[in-house]
């Protein structure tokens, strides 16, 4: 009810805060057409979800998934050396918790998902696969994420420690996985025994970390004033973008070995990683180049007017703004690279999808349950891709992408 103030003006009461009914009216039932679409969509979702849930609980046979949990996780990695995989995983969990505590909401989705995922795996029924010792380790790893989160929120922990930690952690994890021929307690394990999720993570994380700086360098090279650098960058980008990834994988996996001496041939996992890195770098270069073109020439002129060199202008003025502007496309490229790791099964590398296919083909009884296996694999990829997308959205919000 409006009232009159002492000055004679009309003062109206503040509007009621929006509630669930207002949200439903504004978003789902704003008009007769929206109401019909809402009712139709709700009925369709009900029948699809109820039928899918009924099939998953009463009809589906998840034996090809629950009976081979470790195989999906580590492939044929020697079971007596599996502690090395656990040690690397524990270190990554601790670093994730530290980053979550320091960077806040940008990594909250990944941190919470790791805690929930480890706890679910700790209680997941898997006959003969997940032993009590492994269950205790998984629960302790979830606790490491929480411990890292608490430590990351402490003021005495310098931010530089996170950068050093993340630069050292992948190296330590790979050393633990590969081992050394000279050490009996850390014996060498061939990459032919690696498989499952660890191969998927190595290819995707390695491809992301390596393709990003190469892509930035190619984008700068394509805009260079040096004709040789510009020509090389342009030819590389257009050539790689003009062929499918499977062609590059075949070239690195089979053809590259024909041009190298027998004693200098690269490991097959390294060859696949190089192929995916160079392929992703070409697309990354075009994403970054789009961000560079969005920078106003006036900013470059202003930086030079205050005495900054061309290198300083590019590092401190142009690149930060360009990369900030193309975060969505960079995140999309990373997610695409993560999903493209499934193609390595064609060149004989058993990633998560390859393990699923080998389990289906290992027993005639499992062939009729291939739907359950592929649904499980697709669910894993969807969850991880969604977490990457959510982290990207949080980073965009934190950096104010699209907000001036």
């Amino acid at each position: 009810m409006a009232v009159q103030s002492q000055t004679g003006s009309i003062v109206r009461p503040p509007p009621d805060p929006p509630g669930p009914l207002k949200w439903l009216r504004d978003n789902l039932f704003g008009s007769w057409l929206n109401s019909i679409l809402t009712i139709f969509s709700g009925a369709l979702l009900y029948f699809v979800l109820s039928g899918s849930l009924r099939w998953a609980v009463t009809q589906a046979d998840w034996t090809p998934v629950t009976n081979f949990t470790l195989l999906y996780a580590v492939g044929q990695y020697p079971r007596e050396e599996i502690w090395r995989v656990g040690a690397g995983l524990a270190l990554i969990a601790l670093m994730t918790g530290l980053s979550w505590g320091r960077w806040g909401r940008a990594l909250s989705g990944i941190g919470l998902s790791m805690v929930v995922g480890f706890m679910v795996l700790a209680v997941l029924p898997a006959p003969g696969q997940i032993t009590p010792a492994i269950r205790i380790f998984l629960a302790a790893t979830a606790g490491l994420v929480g411990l890292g989160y608490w430590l990351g929120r402490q003021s005495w922990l310098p931010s530089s420690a996170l950068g050093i930690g993340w630069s050292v952690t992948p190296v330590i994890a790979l050393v633990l996985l590969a081992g050394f021929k000279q050490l009996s307690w850390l014996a060498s394990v061939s990459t032919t025994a690696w498989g499952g999720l660890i191969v998927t993570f190595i290819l995707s994380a390695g491809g992301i970390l390596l393709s990003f700086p190469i892509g930035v360098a190619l984008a700068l090279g394509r805009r260079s004033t040096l004709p040789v650098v510009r020509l090389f960058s342009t030819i590389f980008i257009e050539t790689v973008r003009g062929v499918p990834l499977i062609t590059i994988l075949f070239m690195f996996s089979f053809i590259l070995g024909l041009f190298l001496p027998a004693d200098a041939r690269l490991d097959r996992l390294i060859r696949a990683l190089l192929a995916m890195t160079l392929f992703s770098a070409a697309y990354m270069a075009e994403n970054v180049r789009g961000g560079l073109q969005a920078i106003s020439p006036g900013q470059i002129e202003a930086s030079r007017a205050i005495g900054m060199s061309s290198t300083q202008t590019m590092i401190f003025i142009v690149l930060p703004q360009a990369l900030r502007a193309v975060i969505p496309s960079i995140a999309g490229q990373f997610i695409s690279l993560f999903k493209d790791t499934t193609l390595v099964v064609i060149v004989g590398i058993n990633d998560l999808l390859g393990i699923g296919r080998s389990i289906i083909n290992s027993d005639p009884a499992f062939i009729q349950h291939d739907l359950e296996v592929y649904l499980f694999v697709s669910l894993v990829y969807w969850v991880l891709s969604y977490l990457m997308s959510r982290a990207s959205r949080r980073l965009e919000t934190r950096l104010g992408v699209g907000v001036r």
Side-chain angles (χ1 to χ4, degrees), residues 218 221-223 229-239:
L218 287 172
R222 191 163 186 174
R223 290 168 55 90
V229 176
R230 184 173 63 253
L231 181 62
F232 170 79
S233 300
T234 303
I235 292 176
F236 177 87
I237 292 171
E238 297 303 330
T239 301

Side-chain angles (χ1 to χ4, degrees), residues 116-389:
V116 173
F118 287 134
M119 294 305 297
V120 169
L121 290 175
V123 299
L124 185 72
Q129 290 290 304
I130 303 182
T131 62
I134 294 179
R135 296 183 188 278
I136 294 174
F137 165 77
L138 291 172
T141 305
L144 277 177
V145 178
L147 176 63
Y149 174 77
W150 178 79
L151 291 175
R153 294 182 62 86
Q154 307 304 311
S155 58
W156 51 265
L157 182 68
S159 299
S160 58
L162 291 179
I164 297 174
W166 277 118
S167 62
V168 173
T169 295
V171 178
I172 297 177
L174 287 176
V175 168
L176 287 172
L177 287 175
F180 298 96
K181 295 181 179 180
Q182 298 82 5
L183 297 179
S184 59
W185 61 274
L186 197 65
S188 176
V189 178
S190 173
T191 57
T192 55
W194 300 13
L197 271 176
I198 59 172
V199 168
T200 298
F201 286 149
I202 289 172
L203 290 176
S204 56
I208 289 171
L209 293 176
L210 295 176
S211 66
F212 181 74
I214 296 176
V216 173
L218 287 172
L220 295 177
R222 191 163 186 174
R223 290 168 55 90
S224 174
T225 56
L226 299 176
V228 175
V229 176
R230 184 173 63 253
L231 181 62
F232 170 79
S233 300
T234 303
I235 292 176
F236 177 87
I237 292 171
E238 297 303 330
T239 301
V240 173
R241 292 175 70 227
V243 295
L245 175 58
I246 188 62
T247 304
I248 299 178
L249 281 172
F250 270 116
M251 184 184 70
F252 273 80
S253 297
F254 302 109
I255 301 177
L256 182 63
L258 300 177
F259 297 94
L260 295 176
D263 56 347
R265 291 186 177 179
L266 298 175
D267 182 87
R268 62 171 190 165
L269 193 62
I270 296 179
R271 295 199 300 268
L273 177 60
L274 288 176
M276 301 194 69
T277 298
L278 295 180
F279 181 82
S280 180
Y283 285 87
M284 184 63 62
E286 289 300 276
N287 292 333
V288 175
R289 188 169 70 93
L292 293 173
Q293 291 179 336
I295 305 302
S296 171
Q299 297 195 34
I300 300 176
E301 296 172 0
S303 63
R304 291 177 179 174
I306 62 175
M308 297 180 70
S309 64
S310 299
T311 303
Q312 291 175 327
T313 300
M314 183 60 64
I315 294 176
F316 297 109
I317 303 297
V318 178
L319 266 182
Q321 297 183 78
L323 296 179
R324 173 179 171 271
V326 295
I327 286 178
S329 55
I330 290 177
Q333 179 61 35
F334 288 164
I335 294 173
S336 177
L337 175 63
F338 169 67
K339 293 185 291 186
D340 284 343
T341 56
T342 54
L343 292 176
V344 299
V345 68
I346 301 177
V347 294
I349 298 177
N350 279 330
D351 67 327
L352 181 62
L353 179 61
I355 292 295
R357 292 181 59 182
S358 63
I359 290 174
I360 294 173
N361 297 327
S362 65
D363 192 335
F366 292 157
I367 296 178
Q368 59 183 344
H369 301 302
D370 56 347
L371 179 59
E372 288 88 335
V373 173
Y374 290 131
L375 279 176
F376 167 73
V377 172
S378 61
L379 179 63
V380 172
Y381 276 98
W382 179 83
V383 169
L384 296 176
S385 298
Y386 174 76
L387 290 177
M388 294 172 65
S389 175

Side-chain angles (χ1 to χ4, degrees), residues 73-74 77-78 81-90 137 176-177 198:
V74 298
Y77 201 88
E81 301 291 337
I82 203 170
W83 64 269
R84 292 149 63 168
V85 181
L89 181 61
F137 165 77
L176 287 172
L177 287 175
I198 59 172

Side-chain angles (χ1 to χ4, degrees), residues 16-177:
D16 295 332
L21 293 178
K22 186 177 185 303
W23 184 90
L24 290 173
R25 184 172 61 253
D26 294 342
N27 295 277
L28 301 180
F29 300 96
S31 64
W32 65 269
L33 179 59
N34 287 347
S35 301
I36 294 176
L37 292 176
T38 298
I39 295 173
F40 176 77
S41 301
L44 181 62
L45 284 176
Y46 170 77
F47 286 112
V48 171
L49 294 179
S50 61
S52 301
L53 184 61
R54 190 182 309 111
W55 171 84
V57 174
T58 61
Q59 301 178 19
D61 184 1
W62 299 100
T63 303
V65 175
T66 58
N67 285 9
F68 302 95
T69 309
L70 284 181
L71 199 60
Y72 283 107
V74 298
Q76 298 290 343
Y77 201 88
R79 297 302 183 256
E80 64 275 9
E81 301 291 337
I82 203 170
W83 64 269
R84 292 149 63 168
V85 181
L89 181 61
L91 185 58
I92 293 174
L94 179 61
M95 288 302 305
T96 302
L98 288 170
S99 303
W100 179 18
R102 179 51 55 93
W103 296 332
R105 295 185 61 187
L107 291 179
S108 60
I110 295 178
L112 286 173
S113 298
M114 288 186 69
V115 173
V116 173
F118 287 134
M119 294 305 297
V120 169
L121 290 175
V123 299
L124 185 72
Q129 290 290 304
I130 303 182
T131 62
I134 294 179
R135 296 183 188 278
I136 294 174
F137 165 77
L138 291 172
T141 305
L144 277 177
V145 178
L147 176 63
Y149 174 77
W150 178 79
L151 291 175
R153 294 182 62 86
Q154 307 304 311
S155 58
W156 51 265
L157 182 68
S159 299
S160 58
L162 291 179
I164 297 174
W166 277 118
S167 62
V168 173
T169 295
V171 178
I172 297 177
L174 287 176
V175 168
L176 287 172
L177 287 175

